[in-house]
Amino acid sequence: MSTHAAARVAAPTRREQILKEAARLFAERGFHGVGVDEIGAAVGISGPGLYRHFPGKDAMLAELLVGISERLLAGGQRRVSEDAAGDGSPEALLDALIEGHIDFALDDRPLITLHDRELDRLREADRKRVRRLQREYVEVWVAVVRDLHPALPEHEARATVHAVFGLLNSTPHLGRPGALPGRTDTAALLHRLARGAFAAAGARDEG
């Protein structure tokens, strides 16, 4: 593939640009504090022009929150499938899951804020879909954690996974992106903390 062709493939679509700016603005100022015209201005099109891509702000919010839940689940399932096809260890698979979630936590911080603040604004069907996807994602992790720590009761494994998600999803509270010690160092710190939590939970029943 030529360089120009690769650039075309990698370039975000206008729809993706709209969603990225909507997520940023919603996270900064709240869903009701942002108008369609402002989202349009952020991507260089008129507010009414957005309606060629989305019927309204509610649809943007739903696609953002449902979309990230789908992406996290698909990423977790893909890592498990890749591990099953190879000769990886439970430790390596858990590391891969942690790394994937850290990428989300560092690169999509506005979506974490949106989920915390705006999930209840979704239509009931979309909200239930998000919750179902999240439960499935948790269970992917629970299976891996119990493979690594067989003596850990299922309910404790699930509670530990939720606690680790809370830790990793704390990134919006770590200050503005430029205030972090650097992406690589922050990712390494979060990874150590997550592995430490799982090791502590496993040691309780294996010690």
Side-chain angles (χ1 to χ4, degrees):
M1 181 182 293
S2 69
T3 301
H4 292 301
R8 286 196 301 271
V9 171
T13 65
R14 178 52 59 92
R15 188 180 183 88
E16 290 169 340
Q17 292 172 342
I18 292 169
L19 288 172
K20 179 179 180 180
E21 291 305 318
R24 179 182 65 81
L25 290 168
F26 291 159
E28 288 178 356
R29 294 161 52 189
F31 181 74
H32 286 306
V34 179
V36 171
D37 288 343
E38 294 168 280
I39 299 171
V43 295
I45 62 177
S46 67
L50 288 181
Y51 292 110
R52 292 196 296 270
H53 302 277
F54 297 95
K57 290 196 306 177
D58 289 341
M60 295 179 206
L61 182 64
E63 185 155 336
L64 284 166
L65 294 182
V66 173
I68 189 55
S69 297
E70 290 175 336
R71 179 153 59 91
L72 285 170
L73 176 58
Q77 292 173 332
R78 174 177 54 78
R79 289 176 175 85
V80 171
S81 296
E82 290 172 349
D83 181 79
D87 56 357
S89 65
E91 290 90 347
L93 178 53
L94 182 58
D95 281 335
L97 288 175
I98 293 171
E99 288 165 5
H101 198 97
I102 287 174
D103 285 342
F104 155 68
L106 291 178
D107 298 338
D108 293 295
R109 293 166 68 189
L111 292 179
I112 297 174
T113 300
L114 276 187
H115 179 275
D116 290 345
R117 294 180 182 170
E118 312 289 359
L119 180 63
D120 287 345
R121 299 192 189 280
L122 294 183
R123 295 180 308 166
E124 183 178 4
D126 289 328
R127 189 167 60 251
K128 286 183 176 180
R129 185 177 180 190
V130 168
R131 294 299 192 193
R132 176 180 57 78
L133 291 165
Q134 290 174 336
R135 287 194 297 271
E136 292 179 23
Y137 182 54
V138 167
E139 294 311 308
V140 169
W141 283 65
V142 169
V144 174
V145 171
R146 296 198 72 215
D147 192 24
L148 181 60
H149 300 292
L152 185 64
E154 183 175 328
H155 70 279
E156 290 192 15
R158 188 171 294 108
T160 306
V161 169
H162 280 291
V164 168
F165 285 175
L167 166 69
L168 299 182
N169 292 347
S170 68
T171 51
H173 307 291
L174 299 181
R176 299 184 65 81
L180 297 176
R183 191 188 190 288
T184 300
D185 290 342
T186 302
L189 173 61
L190 290 173
H191 198 121
R192 291 196 303 273
L193 292 171
R195 281 304 303 262
F198 287 123
R204 177 180 179 279
D205 288 276
E206 294 168 9

